[in-house]
Amino acid sequence: VVADDSSIIAGAKQGEVFFDTQKNLLAGVPSRSTLQGKNTTLVAVMTNAKLDKPGLKRLAKMASAGLAKSIVPAFTPFDGDIVFAMSNGNQEASDLLVGALAAEVVAKVIRQSVLNVN
């Protein structure tokens, strides 16, 4: 998990230092077994915005950007990173606005959650 400044705030360690998975992937260092079966992040975005099925699909896709902002790398074949979107409201709102807000909130909540672990 990375902070806004791209510094690693949680993740695999190599000794006492965080293992920079993204950097090592780009350099071809880690094997598939290094990453396999390690982590899954499930996100549920709930809103009171009145969104139809295509709007909810767009919301989930846009909120997924929050995963990619905070978990690097996200969506590897070894995890199950996914975002679900739900609406039970009748408030008129743009799915694009709600999606953009959701992406920011998802990234912030992931970062906060790892920083608040005992």
Side-chain angles (χ1 to χ4, degrees), residues 73-84:
F75 308 110
T76 69
F78 312 111
D79 54 42
D81 299 336
I82 192 165
V83 175
F84 298 96

Side-chain angles (χ1 to χ4, degrees), residues 32-52:
R32 293 177 75 82
S33 63
T34 304
L35 300 173
Q36 196 160 2
K38 298 298 182 189
N39 295 290
T40 292
T41 304
L42 305 175
V43 176
V45 175
M46 294 174 257
T47 180
N48 65 348
K50 183 179 178 182
L51 299 176
D52 58 7

Side-chain angles (χ1 to χ4, degrees), residues 53-69:
K53 190 172 181 177
L56 286 168
K57 185 175 180 179
R58 192 168 9 271
L59 170 58
K61 283 182 178 182
M62 291 180 73
S64 295
L67 280 169
K69 285 180 172 186

